[in-house]
Amino acid sequence: MSSQNTYTRGVLLCLLATVSWGAMFPLMDSTLQHIDPFTFTVMRYTIAGAMFLVFLRMREGRAGLRLKGERIGLAWLFGTAGFAGFQFLVFFGQDLIGERGALNASIMMATMPMMGFLVNWVLRKVVPPKGSLVFIAMSFVGTVLVVSNGDIASLISSPREAGADALLLFAALCWVVYTSGAGFFPTWSPIKYTAITTVLGLASATVITAVILAAGGVPVPTVGTVGTILPQLAYMSVIAGFVGVLGWNFGNRYLGPLNGVLFMDVVPVTAFVISALTGVVPAGVQIAGASLTAAALVFNNLYLRRIAAKAAPAPSPAPVASGPAAAPASGSARGRASGPGSASASAPVGSGTRS
């Protein structure tokens, strides 16, 4: 595959993933009118988890399912953070907020790459560059403008909504922790990490949901209720849950994480557009806040590229050609290295943030 085709395929896959994730938040507005977020999450990842296991078995055979000697407890912890922490809290918080919940939840997705710097700082003691700290602050200012609709005092005067927004922020943190957890399993492919942690996290989500249902915290859904939300369940499980995650993993493999992470801006844009089409029109200050968060991600990306370029060693002088074979050899090397995406095509699958 040529470098241009690789780059184009990476762009299309990352777009597929982020558009599918952006659409899931407005879709959940109608879903949450019929079923609670806890039961729905268990149903969703029972389907998606089974699909990931089948895909893992097809790609890696029985060896992919072998866990003897692996750190299962740690994988369970990260899976619980991702599939009981993020999935429960993001849709529970969205439900508490009401019609603006989709906008607030989607903007949290765009903060995840910036939040990843902070998590990396805590988990691996890697201090973010000074400029990145500025862009992290800029990102969160934009987020505050979205969730408060420009009335920052309302975050104090309306503790219920502020608490729901705090749940969304904590949910985003849970997903960043889950994504960072892949680094603790260097011998696992991204597909194996996704499949195994999905199943282990689903076990936690199932137990928690069973306790909530038994305690009467939410009503047990009827067969009719499940039938009503089947289209949403199919989309969230197959498209956003399975196809979207695989698209993101492979798209980042082709583009590299620095390029792939920029597509996280597509998530709130998609959610804002769909929400507007369904009657929930974002206020001007919310659009400005989302733009500020998106700009912070882009500026930080450019800043990191500049740092990387300065840190790169200067190229050594080319040796003088001494024979007729020298020119064709150097020419073919340049051909392999040129073109968009060529340097990032060898990046590991899923090296960017997954959702």
Side-chain angles (χ1 to χ4, degrees), residues 56-119:
L56 175 63
R57 178 68 171 80
M58 292 171 58
R59 288 294 295 264
E60 301 184 17
R62 293 183 179 180
L65 301 175
R66 193 173 298 125
L67 299 177
K68 185 177 181 180
E70 301 285 2
R71 294 183 288 180
I72 304 302
L74 189 61
W76 167 81
L77 185 64
F78 286 125
T80 300
F83 298 100
F86 172 74
Q87 302 295 337
F88 277 179
L89 296 180
V90 72
F91 294 130
F92 182 49
Q94 179 178 338
D95 192 28
L96 290 176
I97 293 172
E99 68 174 13
R100 291 190 302 105
L103 305 181
N104 293 16
S106 65
I107 196 63
M108 295 302 177
M109 296 284 283
T111 68
M112 287 182 182
M114 311 299 287
M115 204 180 292
F117 282 98
L118 302 180
V119 171

Side-chain angles (χ1 to χ4, degrees), residues 249-271:
N249 286 344
F250 283 99
N252 274 272
R253 178 182 184 181
Y254 297 139
L255 296 180
L258 269 182
N259 292 322
V261 75
L262 292 173
F263 286 86
M264 290 305 295
D265 283 338
V266 176
V267 176
V269 170
T270 303

Side-chain angles (χ1 to χ4, degrees), residues 14 26 43 55 70 86 97 100 103 109 118 124 175 185 196-197 234 266 278 310 320 323 344-345 354:
C14 285
M43 295 167 60
F55 190 69
E70 301 285 2
F86 172 74
I97 293 172
R100 291 190 302 105
L103 305 181
M109 296 284 283
L118 302 180
R124 296 187 174 87
W175 192 259
F185 298 87
I196 299 303
T197 52
V266 176
T278 57
K310 287 184 176 180
V320 178
S344 61
R354 288 191 293 271

Side-chain angles (χ1 to χ4, degrees), residues 155-169:
L155 297 177
I156 300 175
S157 60
S158 303
R160 174 183 169 84
E161 288 196 15
D165 288 323
L167 284 179
L168 295 177
L169 188 62

Side-chain angles (χ1 to χ4, degrees), residues 13-27 44 109 235-236 238-248 266-267 270 274 355:
L13 287 172
C14 285
L15 274 176
L16 171 67
T18 47
V19 168
S20 72
W21 294 339
M24 74 180 181
F25 293 107
L27 184 66
R44 174 191 182 190
M109 296 284 283
Y235 178 88
M236 295 289 285
V238 179
I239 305 302
F242 180 73
V243 175
V245 169
L246 287 181
W248 179 253
V266 176
V267 176
T270 303
I274 294 177
S355 184

Side-chain angles (χ1 to χ4, degrees), residues 170-346:
F170 186 69
L173 178 61
C174 285
W175 192 259
V176 173
V177 169
Y178 166 72
T179 303
S180 300
F184 290 87
F185 298 87
T187 62
W188 289 14
S189 68
I191 295 172
K192 181 170 182 175
Y193 180 76
T194 302
I196 299 303
T197 52
T198 298
V199 173
L200 294 175
L202 178 63
S204 299
T206 301
V207 171
I208 295 170
T209 301
V211 171
I212 293 174
L213 291 172
V218 295
V220 178
T222 64
V223 175
T225 297
V226 174
T228 301
I229 53 93
L230 277 180
Q232 295 95 319
L233 180 61
Y235 178 88
M236 295 289 285
S237 304
V238 179
I239 305 302
F242 180 73
V243 175
V245 169
L246 287 181
W248 179 253
N249 286 344
F250 283 99
N252 274 272
R253 178 182 184 181
Y254 297 139
L255 296 180
L258 269 182
N259 292 322
V261 75
L262 292 173
F263 286 86
M264 290 305 295
D265 283 338
V266 176
V267 176
V269 170
T270 303
F272 276 41
V273 170
I274 294 177
S275 294
L277 292 175
T278 57
V280 182
V281 181
V285 69
Q286 290 181 304
I287 295 175
S291 300
L292 188 63
T293 298
L297 182 57
V298 174
F299 291 155
N300 185 65
N301 183 281
L302 296 174
Y303 171 68
L304 294 178
R305 291 175 187 273
R306 184 178 179 183
I307 291 179
K310 287 184 176 180
S316 57
V320 178
S322 58
S330 62
S332 64
R334 282 194 302 269
R336 286 192 301 270
S338 65
S342 58
S344 61
S346 60

